[in-house]
Amino acid sequence: MIASGLPRSPWVPMTWPDLTDRPRPEPDRQFRYGSNQLQVVDLWLPAGTPPGRWPTVLMVHGGCWQSSIADRRLMDWACADLRDAGFAVWNIDYRGVDRSGGGYPGTFRDAAAAADLLRSHADDHGLDPSRIVALGHSAGGHLALWLAARPRLPATSPLATPDPLPIAHVVSLGGLPDLAAVEASPDNGCGTDVIAQLVGDRPDRFADTSVPCLLPIGVPADLLSGREDRIVPARMAPAYAAAARTAGDRVALHEVGDTGHVELIAPGTPAWSKAIGLVRSALSGP
């Protein structure tokens, strides 16, 4: 029997090796949408026969919009856990601002092309392109929300396309949706210089890149944060949620204690269990 009143063991944040040193699972298929080595998508498919069509998650990795920090493989463990839970996962990659062709408009065009490619393979693999949950971590939270907001892009934007893949719901894990706020926040773990590389030197540089400028996006979102996250300041999610709600969007905030940035995408943690629950709720709705 555990005696009551004993001091609680101090919480120790997860580090990246705590996740990446685990045995790495492998995806089921890979597709290309361009010639660059980062212009690829990994498809993770559950075993067995789909129940009509597989409920599908569009996965977007983070890494401060820099490919040297992270690529899609950082999400392999999360993808495998979603696959085991019965979801198909479309895990996209894109060129970061530190790669030739990345930045503006390349990073955004890559994310858009990778998402839209899902339609071309949906029938062959039993994916449902009419009901997609976009799940993004950190900088990927920004891109997941931006992908959902694409129908709101100004017609004059180089990023606008006539028929973007519709996103039914977004789950943002420690996301950075407001690029102006990130640039004005030296305490964020990505720094501030990366934003200029991402959005370019031009008038109205946030008009087609930062999600608050595109509100209302008309897509419900769950924003999940770690209370002890030192990469994404705690104020980011509530500030975006307030602006989105004022504009008419449906946004829910969720905070998990004893949770930093890594725990948000690490299977076995309370934060990741919460994330899967949010995905399941979004895909089980009408």
Side-chain angles (χ1 to χ4, degrees), residues 210-226:
S210 188
V211 185
C213 295
L214 299 169
L215 294 173
I217 67 173
V219 176
D222 287 288
L223 311 182
L224 177 62
S225 303

Side-chain angles (χ1 to χ4, degrees), residues 78 81-82 85 87 135 171 173 224 256 259 263-281:
D81 206 47
L82 284 164
F87 301 101
L135 187 153
V171 176
L173 309 178
L224 177 62
V256 183
T259 295
E263 290 90 342
L264 293 169
I265 58 169
T269 65
W272 177 248
S273 296
K274 177 67 173 178
I276 284 191
L278 293 172
V279 169
R280 182 174 289 112
S281 294

Side-chain angles (χ1 to χ4, degrees), residues 78-196:
C79 290
D81 206 47
L82 284 164
R83 176 175 63 184
D84 291 345
F87 301 101
V89 185
W90 188 257
N91 186 22
I92 71 171
D93 219 333
Y94 51 88
R95 292 169 295 175
V97 301
D98 55 342
R99 293 294 183 266
S100 176
Y104 186 90
T107 296
F108 295 92
R109 285 178 171 171
D110 278 6
D116 289 345
L117 186 66
L118 186 151
R119 281 195 182 107
S120 299
H121 300 282
D123 288 344
D124 289 344
H125 299 288
L127 312 179
D128 185 356
S130 70
R131 190 162 182 81
I132 302 293
V133 170
L135 187 153
H137 176 241
S138 195
H142 157 254
L143 287 173
L145 285 161
W146 180 84
L147 287 169
R150 288 170 65 204
R152 297 276 298 170
L153 288 171
T156 55
S157 168
L159 307 181
T161 55
D163 187 25
L165 178 77
I167 306 297
H169 198 104
V170 177
V171 176
S172 173
L173 309 178
L176 294 159
D178 188 338
L179 300 183
V182 176
E183 189 174 55
S185 303
D187 57 335
N188 88 83
C190 290
T192 58
D193 292 344
V194 67
I195 299 302

